[in-house]
Structures are given as structure tokens and as C-alpha cells.
Amino acid sequence: MTTRSYGGIIARHTAAITNSNLTALILLDSAHENQHEILRGTFSPIATHVQIWHYVDPILGISDIKNLFKKYDSSLAQRLDQYYSSFRYAQVMSAYRNEGGFFTPLEDFNYDFGNLKMVVMSHDREAYKTAPRFYSVGDKWAEMQKSIAQLSRNSEHIVVKGATHNIPGDAPDVVISKIIETVDIMSKQLSLSSRF
């Protein structure tokens, strides 16, 4: 499974509570369960009016209507922008509220992924040199990413050079290469284990 940003929290929750026969998890600059506590004062909690807006939007379909009049550079950009455009943010806000606004210490979840193959890919702090707000949290973000990688005994943490939080957009070749490499490794391991 490969997922990015807040999807990392969803993936960890899913992996922890289900018997999904998951063999590998690739996290792209994953959000952290306790990120607002760790980054308190730098990134404020999401304002109530923003949360309300993201619930009202899918009910009224405002983003969907606005997207009908947008110009896109490619059909892919259009599909990505319009894919459940309003509902996806409502889902994030709902989960955000249920998780207490990313203020839950990671250890409180009692995750234990054993030897699950886990690849944690993080953005390059230097990519934010012209954005002081993001650049200033670089060390703390790196520590959060390392703590995520420590949830498995079979993990690696990679900083994707030149990439911002949008790792798939900034370094698609790196992501694709790591996915292919991971699938190949896991396929060989499964093939070996099925022989015995």
C-alpha cells in the first residue's frame, strides 16, 4: 500500500486493526498522529470555521460546481482535482475531529507492525528554503518521520532530495522506482516462503 500525507494515518490505523495480509507500506511525507502538539505555535489547529466549511461544501456541492468552470492543463490534472473534490476534505475533517486534532501521542496507539516492510519517504527540508514557515519545522518534521519508521523493525527512512510535501508531483520517478523495488523484494520473499 502506498499513501501520502494524512493517508499515512489512515493506513496505519487500517493496518493495525485489520487482518489485511499487508506485505508492505510506503508512506509519502506522512502526517503524524501528534503533529499539532509537536508543532504547537508554528502550525495552529485547523480553525472551526474551516472545519464547518468542509462539511457544508459537499452538502451544497460548491467545489464541484466551481470545478466545472476551471481550466486544466491536462485531463489527468482535471481528474485529480475533481475526484470526490468536496467529499475527500469532509472525510479528512471528520477523521481530524475524531483523532482529537492530531494531538494524540504516537505511543498511545500501541502500534506494533513487527517486520512489516515499511518505507517512509520524507520531503527535503531544503526545498522549503524560500518558505520560512515550513523550513523552520524541518528538524521536528524529520523526527516525526523517523518515529513513524520505528514502528516496524523492517523499515527505511528516505529523504527525497528536492521534493516538497508533494513528493509524487515533485519526484514521481523516485516514488515509482521505490514501489517497483519494494514489490520485487516482497514478491521474492513470498515466493521463497511458499516453498517451505
Side-chain angles (χ1 to χ4, degrees), residues 65-132:
I65 293 167
K66 283 170 58 180
N67 284 345
L68 294 173
F69 302 98
K70 283 175 81 172
K71 299 253 189 247
Y72 295 96
D73 294 332
S74 68
S75 59
L76 175 61
Q78 181 176 4
R79 284 201 309 275
L80 290 172
D81 192 42
Q82 294 184 0
Y83 183 70
Y84 295 131
S85 61
S86 52
F87 288 102
R88 67 182 176 210
Y89 293 111
Q91 164 60 27
V92 168
M93 289 299 107
S94 176
Y96 173 89
R97 289 167 71 108
N98 291 339
E99 289 304 323
F102 299 146
F103 285 101
T104 308
L106 194 56
E107 55 270 19
D108 285 7
F109 291 92
N110 297 313
Y111 292 141
D112 180 8
F113 295 125
N115 288 316
L116 175 69
K117 175 63 177 170
M118 185 182 291
V119 179
V120 178
M121 302 177 80
S122 305
H123 74 259
D124 181 3
R125 182 184 188 188
E126 297 305 308
Y128 284 113
K129 232 173 179 169
T130 59

Side-chain angles (χ1 to χ4, degrees), residues 121-193:
M121 302 177 80
S122 305
H123 74 259
D124 181 3
R125 182 184 188 188
E126 297 305 308
Y128 284 113
K129 232 173 179 169
T130 59
R133 183 167 182 253
F134 293 104
Y135 187 77
S136 68
V137 302
D139 291 339
K140 290 181 179 177
W141 187 262
E143 287 303 313
M144 286 188 282
Q145 297 296 294
K146 287 176 187 172
S147 71
I148 292 168
Q150 290 169 357
L151 296 172
S152 169
R153 293 184 294 277
N154 183 20
S155 68
E156 60 180 314
H157 178 218
I158 302 164
V159 175
V160 183
K161 297 298 179 192
T164 66
H165 184 60
N166 183 18
I167 294 175
D170 294 336
D173 293 346
V174 175
V175 175
I176 292 167
S177 174
K178 183 50 72 173
I179 291 171
I180 291 170
E181 176 190 314
T182 303
V183 168
D184 187 48
I185 290 169
M186 300 317 297
S187 295
K188 287 176 180 171
Q189 285 183 6
L190 290 171
S191 177
L192 283 171
S193 64

